[in-house]
Amino acid sequence: MKNFHYFNFEDLRVYEFRIEDFQRLEEVFFSLSKSNIFLFDEIQNVEGWEIYIRTLLDKNKKVIITGSNATLLSKELGTKLTGRHLKYELFPFSYSEYLHNKNKKPSIVSFLDFFTLGGFPEYLRLKEKMILQELFNDIIARDITVRYNLRNSKLVKEIALYLISNIGKEFSYQNLRKIYALGSVNTIISLIGYYEDSYLLFTVPKFDYSYRKQLKNPKKIYAIDAGLINVNSVSFTRDSGRILENIVGLHLKRLGKEIYYFKKQKECDFITKDVNKKFSAFQVCYELTDENKDREINGIIEAMDFLKIKNGTIITLKQNDQINIKEKNILILPVWKWCLQKNG
């Protein structure tokens, strides 16, 4: 895409830009180029922007809009531009994108840096913890508290901090309601939805063929970035195994998989379903040892038996092996190699 029109609506010089100014902007565009491609950044800052975008689309123009503000959530685009848009989710850098950005080679050493720093570009550049602390506070204040006109900002932040300090663990709406002595579980349900919509946290449901049971079962909570966890968690100790699990879960989400956790008599961290309804099973363990090996292997085998699949993967920090047991093949891969795979 070599020739296009671009405009950034966060430029202070256009602070009072209004919808009627789009016509003048278009005239300036066409005086410079006849391109039919328009790229607008942070266009949500202009009230009524969708009216102009629909006008361009009616003229068969190609429009790309980007923004970090929650007003560009896909739910709202669905009402503002019904049937006229495609959604692309941008996550913090993956491990491979981190390597490209930092000009590093894949290895356990570079992965441990990624494990600590995460994938937010500005933080990778400056390595100032305040960047991720302020990002967390901004999402809580601007994208949730102000946006949804919530009164108790302290509660919104406290629950978010509790969840980000308990990533990879099961939670239920009722238990959270009891912990914070709330009168209605609907408050918790709404808040979890707000955290997910603002791309701060995401939930993973327990697998069940019954959708109704999926809704009732406890979910697990994960964060959108490992660096965000490391900087904002209020836990006194860093649980490396949970952070590794978060990185794997986020990577599966980035690949567009449907993600669940599996729990019957034993537990498997992730099972996924792709667009062809093919299931895969993943167990995450920081290090396989004599003490945990049976538990981890038996957990993934139970999931594989239940789903009737022959192959599974155990992801560790740096171990590499292969196990054949009960007519099943289990690959043990170091996470830094697994993260470079495009299909999980």
Side-chain angles (χ1 to χ4, degrees), residues 232-245:
N232 291 286
S233 173
V234 295
S235 176
F236 291 108
T237 58
R238 184 170 79 169
D239 190 332
S240 298
R242 299 287 183 185
I243 295 175
L244 188 68
E245 186 178 323

Side-chain angles (χ1 to χ4, degrees), residues 91-93 97-98 101-102 117-127 131-132 135 225:
F91 295 92
F93 284 160
E97 290 167 335
Y98 164 83
N101 176 264
K102 304 300 288 185
L117 298 173
F120 279 106
E122 188 72 2
Y123 182 55
L124 292 177
R125 187 171 69 89
L126 299 176
K127 297 181 181 178
I131 293 171
L132 293 185
L135 175 62
D225 180 70

